Amino acid sequence: MKVRGSEVLNGKYTARNTPKRKWIPYPEGPYYNNETCHWIIDQQNCIKFGRPDSEFLQWRWKPDECELPIFDATQFLKLVKGKKMVFVGDSVGINQMFSLLCLLSDVSEPKDISMKHTSDRTYFKRFYYAEYNFTLANLWSPYFVKSSDADTNGHSYDSIMKLYLDEVDEAWANQIEDFDIVIISAGHWFFRPLLFYENGELVGCNKCGKQNVTDLAHYYGYKKAFRTAFRTLISLRRFKGVTFFRTFSPSHFENGDWNRGGKCIRTKPFTKEEMMLEGNFLETYLTQVEEFKAAKKDAIKRGLQFNMLDTTEIMLLRPDGHPNNFGHAKDKNVTINDCVHWCLPGPVDTWNEFLFYMLKLGHTSFG
């Protein structure tokens, strides 16, 4: 199936003929660079660590029959003045948060107030823009639900985990009512070996290799975790915020999996004739979108706004946007290439152009 634009109708993915919907050359380049923004973490600071090409910085997304507005940091800050915004999920969500910090840095620099709220400043960060009384934060929860290590050898990149699919992770749920704008996303952590629990009972797994345990694939846990997350947001009595659900962003490992020498060395986007949304990525995308659509109906009944930032197809076309092996100094003993996260600056900045556009449209009625 070649993808020429797409939509989901009644849970089914269909193609639309949208030839103008694509990444187009943009010679003006990015809004910032690694010298003008000090918020870029080393793992995503591709230019600092020697990435030799720069063409990946010179593209913009062109929607069908319209133009995506240029990001305006001043207007963005005016839209969120007096509000609190939080990214809930995994490190790709944090990637987007640091992109936003850089996009706003041309106008205003926040104070890092993380230590006032947590002892874990690596995974739980808060920034305060005093001039706008605006707080930007992240709450680390890669599964949304309660989890624990199941491997007797301890935690590692691919050790097996227990997920309690009907029990929300209180690390984010206990704080979320304090926020006005929630951007929620998750993905790659669900591909690892997992044991699925419901009502305290083991019901299946993903890649666990255990006898007498049904392998339900990652879609099962993914679906149930999003269901628990959305239901939590809807059921919390004090939560009056607007929720933006950002869809899954695909990885681009080639010539091997992430732990078997896979790389992402391409230097320009795919065309839609070269890459299609299908198989595992398509099923993962549809799984979360189905849960979102069901949750949105319930959210409307409660007077809540649920919106979708659809980034899956556009990022599938950007194999050139990842750090690969340019997310660290060459003398570091790092053997795994990063084809999951995104260079800063890079195509991930487009997600915040989407967010800015939706905020401008008025998807921000609070309480």
Side-chain angles (χ1 to χ4, degrees), residues 40-46 49 323 326-328 338 341-343:
I40 306 174
I41 62 174
D42 282 356
Q43 292 92 326
Q44 292 146 21
N45 205 336
C46 304
F49 290 113
F326 294 108
H328 53 82
D338 187 352
H341 301 92
W342 304 92
C343 293

Side-chain angles (χ1 to χ4, degrees), residues 2 4 9 29 90 100 104 110 130 138 140 143 148 157 168 171 176 194 251 254 261 265 281 288 304 317 354:
K2 290 186 177 180
R4 296 177 181 272
L9 296 173
D90 58 20
L100 185 55
L104 297 176
N138 82 278
W140 170 258
Y143 298 115
S148 63
Y157 282 119
V168 72
I176 203 67
L194 299 170
S251 61
E254 296 187 69
I265 59 175
F281 286 157
Q288 60 176 183
L304 295 174
L317 301 177
F354 284 3

Side-chain angles (χ1 to χ4, degrees), residues 315-331:
M315 301 311 281
L316 181 67
L317 301 177
R318 293 306 306 268
D320 55 324
H322 301 287
N324 192 39
N325 64 333
F326 294 108
H328 53 82
K330 292 300 178 187
D331 59 354

Side-chain angles (χ1 to χ4, degrees), residues 31-64:
Y31 296 94
Y32 60 91
N33 58 50
N34 64 305
E35 294 182 353
T36 61
C37 179
H38 65 90
W39 297 110
I40 306 174
I41 62 174
D42 282 356
Q43 292 92 326
Q44 292 146 21
N45 205 336
C46 304
I47 300 301
K48 174 183 175 180
F49 290 113
R51 179 165 176 169
D53 63 299
S54 60
E55 185 180 351
F56 77 99
L57 298 172
Q58 298 173 339
W59 300 88
R60 281 201 88 225
W61 180 247
K62 172 65 176 70
D64 184 35

